Amino acid sequence: MKGVISGIKRMEIHDGDGLRTTVFFKGCPLKCIWCHNPESISFNKQIAFFENKCMNCGLCNHVKSEITAKYCPTQAIMVFGQEYEVDELVYELMKEKEFYKNSGGGVTLSGGECLAQSDFATALSRELFQNGISVNIDTCGYVNNEVLKRIIPYTDKFLYDIKAIDNNVHKKCTTQDNYIILENLKFLCENNCKIEVRYPFVKGYNDKESDKIGSFLKDLKGIIKVKVLQYHHFSGSRYKALNMVNTLPVAETLYQDVQLAVNILKSYGLNAINGIDES
């Protein structure tokens, strides 16, 4: 069984507790206009050319391909979408086992949407869990409920995105409705899962959703934290490198904007925090 991975980032501190390795899966069912991981949207392998990194050395002979990417000295050419067998990826992730153990960290499966490759994600989680590695699942929640049932036994915590409660707002920002997402969150809570809700806050798009999110979450069990994330548009260069249409909003979200949302969520009795404070 093979999975398609867009990248692996080691020594992360923002994707769960302790030091973690984050595995970014290729492919996502949503098309969020503010997506900061555009290389993870498509399920297909992609080749990116970062023109600003190119020093015109000629090694690639101006042919942007997977083969020439291996020889690019400045990583101006990069391939997103490496295939791994479960055992192969487990071997890579186990290299940091001592760091996980000493920091209370582990591995976070992210994306894209890691659960869109459900069989691979479940098998990977099971192997890591059985090797004593903490597993967090970073998900948008737009998945079949059966997938959640299969992966719950091997998951310590879910990092769960809630982008909007108003379905019209959600569809405008992600192209999909949110019924499945909200129902799956309730299902996880009913099954005693630990959940950190993440609210990507984009001024002018979903910034009016704070009260609705607070009202929806306040009576759910298992919500240990609600983190409000500041929107930024730093990934614009990746859209260009991948030859993708840049959908990033031209919006400035300030600290005080995020803090206002945090205060609203706190008024519902939630353990809300400003994600900027953890940066």
Side-chain angles (χ1 to χ4, degrees):
M1 181 192 306
K2 291 184 178 181
V4 185
I5 306 301
S6 65
I8 298 173
K9 199 168 183 179
R10 305 178 190 276
M11 300 298 177
E12 279 290 286
I13 59 173
H14 301 300
D15 293 328
D17 298 327
L19 291 175
R20 309 192 75 84
T21 298
T22 303
V23 182
F24 295 92
F25 281 56
K26 206 80 167 67
C28 185
L30 303 186
K31 298 294 183 291
C32 302
I33 58 174
W34 53 68
C35 181
H36 60 277
N37 290 327
E39 69 278 4
S40 295
I41 297 174
S42 171
F43 287 90
N44 300 318
K45 184 178 293 185
Q46 292 171 287
I47 297 171
F49 173 54
F50 295 89
E51 188 175 1
N52 62 314
K53 293 183 179 181
C54 180
M55 62 180 188
N56 297 309
C57 66
L59 287 176
C60 68
N61 294 317
H62 305 292
V63 178
K64 312 302 184 293
S65 69
E66 184 174 350
I67 295 174
T68 56
K70 296 180 181 179
Y71 303 103
C72 181
T74 61
Q75 291 190 309
I77 305 172
M78 294 183 67
V79 178
F80 295 103
Q82 182 175 345
E83 291 187 340
Y84 284 91
E85 296 282 355
V86 172
D87 291 345
E88 180 184 9
L89 187 50
V90 169
Y91 175 79
E92 282 297 315
L93 299 173
M94 290 291 288
K95 291 178 180 179
E96 274 73 48
K97 185 172 183 178
E98 286 304 309
F99 291 104
Y100 307 149
K101 180 180 177 181
N102 294 333
S103 69
V107 173
T108 297
L109 307 189
S110 186
E113 173 51 61
C114 60
L115 298 183
Q117 297 184 52
S118 60
D119 290 341
F120 186 82
T122 302
L124 178 61
S125 298
R126 180 174 59 246
E127 289 298 314
L128 291 169
F129 194 82
Q130 290 175 349
N131 277 281
I133 305 299
S134 165
V135 177
N136 284 185
I137 299 295
D138 187 353
T139 179
C140 71
Y142 196 83
V143 298
N144 189 295
N145 181 262
E146 293 299 319
V147 174
L148 296 178
K149 290 179 182 177
R150 288 192 286 126
I151 207 163
I152 283 175
Y154 316 115
T155 305
D156 291 301
K157 183 164 66 175
F158 288 88
L159 310 179
Y160 203 98
D161 281 4
I162 293 294
K163 301 172 174 71
I165 299 299
D166 186 306
N167 193 40
N168 291 326
V169 173
H170 196 275
K171 289 179 72 173
K172 179 181 178 181
C173 294
T174 72
T175 72
Q176 302 287 357
D177 67 40
N178 61 3
Y179 177 77
I180 293 174
I181 294 169
L182 300 181
E183 288 300 303
N184 279 338
L185 178 58
K186 289 189 283 188
F187 171 79
L188 292 177
C189 291
E190 290 165 0
N191 281 270
N192 302 312
C193 296
K194 292 182 179 179
I195 303 159
E196 175 184 308
V197 169
R198 296 184 162 196
Y199 171 22
F201 186 92
V202 187
K203 194 171 182 180
Y205 289 82
N206 67 344
D207 53 318
K208 306 300 183 184
E209 291 294 297
S210 303
D211 266 306
K212 295 171 188 175
I213 291 174
S215 180
F216 182 83
L217 297 179
K218 65 182 177 66
D219 294 324
L220 296 181
K221 297 179 181 179
I223 307 294
I224 59 176
K225 183 190 297 184
V226 182
K227 183 185 291 188
V228 185
L229 304 175
Q230 179 192 31
Y231 165 73
H232 61 74
H233 45 76
F234 301 152
S235 57
S237 61
R238 276 185 275 170
Y239 281 89
K240 181 178 180 181
L242 290 159
N243 196 29
M244 295 172 61
V245 175
N246 187 342
T247 61
L248 295 173
V250 181
E252 185 177 14
T253 304
L254 304 177
Y255 179 92
Q256 53 264 37
D257 299 322
V258 177
Q259 191 59 44
L260 178 60
V262 169
N263 293 339
I264 291 172
L265 292 167
K266 283 184 174 180
S267 73
Y268 286 91
L270 297 165
N271 176 29
I273 66 167
N274 191 323
I276 301 174
D277 293 333
E278 291 194 349
S279 300

